[in-house]
Amino acid sequence: MQISIHLGAHCTDDDQLIKSLLKNSGQLAKEGVAVPGPGRYRGLVADALVKLQGARADDATQEMLLDTFVDSHDAKRLVLGHKNFMGAPHRSIEHSQLYHLAERNTAWLRNLFANHEVSFFIGMRNPATFVPAILKDAPEANRASLLAPIEPRDLCWSDMLLSIREANPTTPMTVWCNEDTPLLWPEIMHAITGVDESLGLQGTLDILGPIMMKDGFERMQDYLAKTEVPSPEQRRRVIAAFLEKYAIADEIEEEIDLPGWTAELIEELTEAYDHDLDEIERIPGVTLLVA
């Protein structure tokens, strides 16, 4: 079985990827791809990980899990996802690292399905907005203690990905920037399911609805329904044009208000993020989807 695991990150698509894929569960099943609802597997996976503590699952345990998650005997691929797979939200910025538990947790996940082909999928986000978003979701009483020890310049996604690769050297990863997600959504859906890009999927505009004015979103839907768009690149140009005109400013522009986080620091972190993406493109076994 091929097993695609969406690892997050927090404050990226907030489970929208799984929700969009579930709209296609019947169609994907015909293609040999199983997309179970999260309630069907998240609790069982968590229990199994705690029980095994990183040990390799025996054949019976692996078979039991797959039989529980997958209905069809014809399924060739299983898609799972949970933004907590790499750690709880507050763990994502501890010790001035991004997901310091990712190395351990991904190795545990890999050993849970040791007999099968596993791939990891991760949406990343500019640390300049990622840290404020994590803190915003944290209890107010905990925010100061979470922020105080952070050296934001040390937060590099490439470091996290390298640690995952070290722990899982034969497990390929596909990653993308949350900032590009509105343009890449169909490609992300196709990548994690492994189906051909020619297969039309429902939900390919789901990520855009909340960040666009209603009339603009409807005009874009109408245009894409009536117009033959010859390539993914052209489709991205069309969406970018509509976003430029109809995006809701408050949904795409974030006001960052953290003690000591000056405009100069935010600019520095953003430039570092761009350079970090260059490093990520050079990591063996990692595919960076770009808009």
Side-chain angles (χ1 to χ4, degrees):
M1 179 79 73
Q2 297 173 338
I3 303 176
S4 299
I5 303 180
H6 182 214
L7 298 172
H10 294 95
C11 303
T12 55
D13 71 88
D14 293 322
D15 264 351
Q16 185 58 59
L17 181 55
I18 295 298
K19 292 174 184 175
S20 294
L21 292 175
L22 283 168
K23 293 182 177 181
N24 302 273
S25 57
Q27 182 184 16
L28 288 171
K30 295 176 183 177
E31 301 293 323
V33 181
V35 186
R40 189 168 177 178
Y41 61 83
R42 287 182 179 173
L44 284 174
V45 167
D47 290 344
L49 291 172
V50 169
K51 180 179 179 180
L52 290 170
Q53 293 289 299
R56 179 187 175 110
D58 60 31
D59 293 353
T61 298
Q62 293 184 57
E63 185 176 351
M64 179 275 293
L65 290 172
L66 293 185
D67 285 347
T68 303
F69 302 159
V70 180
D71 292 324
S72 173
H73 295 295
D74 297 326
K76 300 174 183 176
R77 182 184 290 247
L78 169 64
V79 179
L80 307 174
H82 192 5
K83 56 191 175 184
N84 286 345
F85 275 151
M86 294 193 295
H90 68 282
R91 300 286 191 191
S92 67
I93 54 175
E94 282 183 334
H95 308 305
S96 284
Q97 299 176 47
L98 292 171
Y99 292 101
H100 69 97
L101 295 177
E103 181 177 355
R104 185 201 73 178
N105 288 7
T106 56
W108 285 22
L109 268 173
R110 186 67 189 85
N111 277 340
L112 196 58
F113 304 105
N115 296 344
H116 303 275
E117 298 177 36
V118 173
S119 300
F120 294 140
F121 294 80
I122 304 171
M124 306 174 295
R125 181 170 175 170
N126 183 352
T129 66
F130 180 70
V131 173
I134 290 291
L135 292 174
K136 182 178 179 182
D137 286 347
E140 187 172 356
N142 298 345
R143 291 173 191 169
S145 61
L146 283 171
L147 178 62
I150 294 175
E151 170 44 68
R153 296 172 184 85
D154 291 340
L155 301 177
C156 296
W157 291 102
S158 59
D159 291 343
M160 186 201 78
L161 296 177
L162 284 166
S163 73
I164 294 174
R165 284 293 294 167
E166 184 174 349
N168 309 274
T170 63
T171 304
M173 283 188 284
T174 299
V175 301
W176 58 90
C177 297
N178 187 58
E179 296 78 12
D180 292 337
T181 299
L183 304 180
L184 290 172
W185 199 241
E187 287 87 341
I188 295 168
M189 292 176 68
H190 281 93
I192 197 166
T193 56
V195 298
D196 192 89
E197 289 190 0
S198 63
L199 182 68
L201 296 175
Q202 298 180 51
T204 56
L205 299 176
D206 286 351
I207 204 74
L208 291 160
I211 63 173
M212 293 181 69
M213 302 175 196
K214 184 178 179 182
D215 61 332
F217 181 68
E218 290 173 350
R219 289 183 185 186
M220 182 183 65
Q221 283 181 304
D222 186 60
Y223 179 88
L224 291 171
K226 295 178 178 177
T227 306
E228 182 178 351
V229 182
S231 67
E233 293 77 15
Q234 182 61 33
R235 183 185 184 279
R236 290 197 288 270
R237 284 195 287 270
V238 169
I239 291 174
F242 275 95
L243 277 172
E244 185 175 0
K245 188 172 183 180
Y246 295 109
I248 301 171
D250 289 346
E251 295 294 338
I252 61 173
E253 297 174 4
E254 298 181 67
E255 183 177 345
I256 299 171
D257 183 20
L258 294 179
W261 283 49
T262 63
E264 290 76 18
L265 174 61
I266 292 166
E267 182 178 354
E268 182 183 346
L269 295 178
T270 300
E271 290 180 3
Y273 179 50
D274 289 338
H275 291 308
D276 199 32
L277 296 177
D278 294 333
E279 294 296 322
I280 288 168
E281 284 193 292
R282 291 191 280 269
I283 300 176
V286 174
T287 299
L288 174 64
L289 301 180
V290 295

